[in-house]
């Protein structure tokens, strides 16, 4: 078991893949020691580096396998300075009691802004006019061009992005209807409709903001697309397998649908510059983009701020709020108390053992917090007396303890 109770200035942070300066500055303010590298590093170098640090921050190119995570003998937490966490073996991180933090909503606004711009661009037939003008054709005409004001925007999935789009669309004078499988508070004058079909039939523009689930795979099937109004538009900035692109292509070619903007595809190229094919290529009034809905410098900065603050909070206070894999405990500040942080395997008897241990030593417990997931438990205890070093060693030696540290 590793010792994890020490001064802040001894906390070492390794940041890979050019993580934003706001994160480096945040760690510096805490007096943590930061090493920031511009790219990903080879797995064997990573193993060596990770063995010496308490926090590692990565983006999407670094794979943190179980083997690499196990080399992190001092590793307390991982920061995924991005949205996805597929590159991290989360089961291994959980078994090692290493909370992983990411920034799932840092790019919400970036996506929402682009949806509004696409709504306007599609209704003004901008893709067609832009392409023609580049080719020397002067398509000066109002045919098929409309304002968005007064048009109905149908939002499927009224979560973080969908609800932001709702607010921005209303400020442009659009009417908003939406459908969500969960009851969501309508913002402004937006109206929830009780079925997906009702939204599809009512909307001039349909925009999809659902997560990737079994239920949303193929959600916009041929039958559902056929329910959309004649002359309406479809925007998909959610996940690639939500829309049947062959069916959409057929509806656009027939002219029944007036346009589409698609950012996500069933199969996306792995690297920048790779060849990409889609049945929507070459169609008029269709905007195709390479999964860039959330890709802005502002979002990168937000990610840097959000993930570093979650990591700092965990180190300084023990909170695991919004961790991807650890049981979530939101803790108050711990002024004037000693806080014990204890990760253990989620099996019967652990709590009883710890409580008996402290009762025998006449320690008054001021507060106790426990959260578990199927495999791991996270117990936090605030006690009034200074915790003797031998006690924390005893805690670490108890059966089923994974990791324990104290905050003074
Ligand atoms: P969120 O989790 O905040 O909201 C999703 C909403 O969809 C929730 O309210 C949920 O109840 C609802 N929902 C789930 N299943 C549904 C169904 N079958 N029918 C109707 N509603 C359903 O997620 P957030 O942050 O708004 O993101 C939405 C999507 O946008 C995600 O798939 C995400 O991956 C994608 N995204 C794409 C980006 C891009 O670059 N194109 C960038 C950021 C997110």
């Amino acid at each position: 078991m590793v010792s994890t109770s020490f001064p802040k200035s001894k906390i070492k942070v390794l940041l890979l893949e050019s993580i934003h300066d706001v994160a480096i500055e945040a760690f510096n303010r805490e007096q943590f020691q930061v090493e920031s590298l511009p790219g990903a590093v080879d797995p064997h170098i990573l193993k060596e580096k990770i063995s010496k640090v308490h926090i590692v921050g990565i983006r999407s190119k670094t794979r943190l396998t179980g083997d690499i995570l196990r080399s992190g003998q001092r590793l307390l937490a991982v920061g995924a300075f991005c949205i996805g966490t597929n590159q991290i073996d989360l089961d291994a991180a959980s078994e090692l009691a290493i909370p992983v933090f990411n920034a799932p909503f840092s790019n919400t606004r970036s996506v929402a802004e682009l949806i509004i711009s696409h709504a306007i661009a599609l209704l003004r037939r901008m893709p067609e006019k832009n392409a023609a003008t580049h080719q020397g054709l002067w398509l000066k005409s109002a045919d098929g061009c409309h304002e968005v004001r007064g048009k109905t925007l149908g939002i499927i999935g009224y979560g973080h992005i969908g609800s932001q789009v709702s607010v921005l669309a209303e400020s442009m004078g659009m009417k908003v209807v939406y459908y969500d499988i969960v009851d969501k508070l309508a913002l402004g004058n937006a109206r929830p409709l009780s079925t997906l079909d009702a939204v599809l039939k009512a909307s001039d523009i349909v925009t999809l903001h659902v997560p990737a689930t079994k239920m949303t795979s193929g959600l916009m099937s041929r039958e559902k697309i056929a329910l959309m109004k004649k002359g309406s538009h479809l925007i998909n900035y959610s996940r690639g397998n939500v829309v049947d692109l062959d069916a959409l292509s057929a509806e656009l070619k027939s002219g029944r649908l007036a346009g589409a903007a698609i950012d996500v595809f069933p199969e996306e190229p792995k690297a920048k510059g790779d060849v990409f094919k889609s049945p929507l290529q070459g169609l008029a009034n269709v905007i195709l983009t390479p999964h860039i809905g959330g890709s802005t410098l502002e979002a990168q900065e937000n990610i840097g701020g959000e993930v570093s603050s979650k990591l700092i909070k965990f180190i300084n206070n023990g909170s695991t709020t919004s961790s991807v894999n650890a049981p979530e405990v939101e803790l108050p500040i711990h002024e004037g108390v000693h806080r014990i942080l204890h990760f253990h395997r989620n099996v019967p008897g652990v709590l009883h053992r710890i409580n008996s241990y402290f009762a025998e030593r006449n320690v008054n417990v001021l507060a106790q917090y426990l959260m578990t997931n199927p495999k791991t438990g996270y117990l936090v205890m605030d006690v009034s007396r200074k915790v003797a070093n031998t006690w924390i060693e005893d805690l670490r030696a108890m059966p089923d303890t994974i990791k324990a540290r104290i905050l003074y």
Side-chain angles (χ1 to χ4, degrees):
M1 206 61 55
V2 294
S3 172
T4 54
S5 310
F6 33 68
K8 279 187 187 188
S9 58
K10 291 206 172 147
I11 300 273
K12 291 188 178 155
V13 185
L14 172 66
L15 300 178
L16 301 171
E17 304 183 62
S18 296
I19 282 164
H20 200 280
D21 282 350
V22 291
I24 300 173
E25 286 156 17
F27 292 128
N28 284 339
R29 276 195 299 278
E30 293 297 317
Q31 297 179 328
F32 296 175
Q33 299 175 39
V34 183
E35 181 186 12
S36 176
L37 300 176
V41 295
D42 285 344
H44 68 277
I45 299 177
L46 183 55
K47 267 174 125 174
E48 207 266 317
K49 281 191 171 292
I50 226 172
S51 67
K52 298 185 184 130
V53 299
H54 304 95
I55 296 174
V56 66
I58 60 163
R59 291 171 63 188
S60 54
K61 289 198 182 75
T62 302
R63 282 196 65 217
L64 289 182
T65 59
D67 191 33
I68 290 176
L69 286 168
R70 275 185 284 277
S71 323
Q73 292 133 29
R74 299 169 191 183
L75 202 56
L76 295 179
V78 168
F81 286 78
C82 47
I83 313 295
T85 50
N86 294 344
Q87 71 282 38
I88 303 167
D89 184 337
L90 293 176
D91 286 341
S94 300
E95 274 165 27
L96 296 161
I98 300 170
V100 176
F101 298 96
N102 67 342
F105 308 119
S106 290
N107 58 11
T108 298
R109 172 71 189 212
S110 303
V111 181
E113 285 188 7
L114 210 45
I115 301 305
I116 300 299
S117 86
H118 285 341
I120 298 170
L122 291 174
L123 262 66
R124 298 295 296 271
R125 304 197 69 82
M126 288 299 279
E128 220 172 41
K129 293 194 187 285
N130 175 53
T133 316
H134 274 285
Q135 285 157 19
L137 283 174
W138 196 246
L139 282 192
K140 183 170 165 59
S141 150
D143 282 353
C145 296
H146 301 275
E147 293 183 350
V148 293
R149 179 171 50 171
K151 303 297 179 300
T152 300
L153 178 69
I155 301 174
I156 312 299
Y158 204 69
H160 287 83
I161 298 174
S163 56
Q164 282 268 327
V165 170
S166 171
V167 171
L168 297 179
E170 281 204 333
S171 73
M172 300 288 302
M174 300 185 81
K175 295 175 196 150
V176 175
V177 293
Y178 68 88
Y179 169 70
D180 199 295
I181 48 167
V182 174
D183 276 344
K184 292 281 174 139
L185 177 70
L187 299 180
N189 298 311
R191 277 188 310 126
L193 300 185
S194 55
T195 62
L196 170 63
D197 293 7
V199 172
L200 299 179
K201 287 177 190 168
S203 306
D204 299 299
I205 303 166
V206 172
T207 185
L208 308 173
H209 300 293
V210 291
T213 64
K214 269 193 192 150
M215 206 176 159
T216 61
S217 171
L219 183 74
M220 286 301 286
S221 59
R222 190 173 294 274
E223 293 72 33
K224 295 294 178 194
I225 295 173
L227 294 178
M228 290 176 63
K229 269 166 75 169
K230 182 166 171 28
S232 63
H233 303 75
L234 179 66
I235 301 177
N236 184 19
Y237 266 61
S238 62
R239 279 292 175 258
N241 61 0
V242 176
V243 180
D244 179 338
L245 291 187
D246 290 319
L248 176 62
S249 167
E251 293 276 23
L252 289 163
K253 280 181 186 155
S254 77
R256 212 186 68 77
L257 291 192
I262 309 290
D263 187 46
V264 287
F265 301 86
E267 278 167 36
E268 295 180 3
K270 295 261 177 301
K272 210 162 141 180
D274 281 0
V275 176
F276 166 70
K277 285 210 166 126
S278 163
L280 301 178
Q281 280 164 331
L283 297 185
N285 214 33
V286 171
I287 301 170
L288 301 180
T289 44
H291 203 147
I292 43 85
S295 306
T296 62
L297 296 178
E298 286 79 0
Q300 286 305 317
E301 183 171 345
N302 290 341
I303 288 170
E306 187 177 333
V307 178
S308 59
S309 88
K310 287 177 183 176
L311 289 164
I312 289 167
K313 208 164 170 208
F314 173 65
I315 296 293
N316 290 350
N317 146 298
S319 287
T320 45
T321 316
S322 83
S323 164
V324 184
N325 62 330
E328 282 192 54
V329 179
E330 168 88 41
L331 297 162
I333 52 169
H334 60 288
E335 236 168 284
V337 301
H338 303 283
R339 178 166 286 172
I340 298 162
L341 312 174
H342 185 266
F343 283 96
H344 52 268
R345 274 174 279 282
N346 186 7
V347 292
V350 176
L351 208 58
H352 173 71
R353 244 187 327 262
I354 294 175
N355 283 338
S356 308
Y357 180 89
F358 284 103
E360 280 160 20
R361 279 149 191 84
N362 209 21
V363 174
N364 188 26
V365 175
L366 300 172
Q368 198 170 53
Y369 313 82
L370 173 72
M371 275 311 272
T372 59
N373 61 28
K375 285 192 177 158
T376 316
Y378 182 35
L379 172 70
V380 181
M381 286 170 65
D382 288 348
V383 296
S384 54
R385 283 175 53 187
K386 186 161 173 21
V387 180
N389 277 340
T390 50
W391 298 354
I392 201 80
E393 289 308 329
D394 287 345
L395 273 185
R396 287 178 182 144
M398 278 183 192
D400 300 310
T401 294
I402 308 175
K403 208 173 243 174
R405 68 184 169 112
I406 323 168
L407 301 173
Y408 295 108

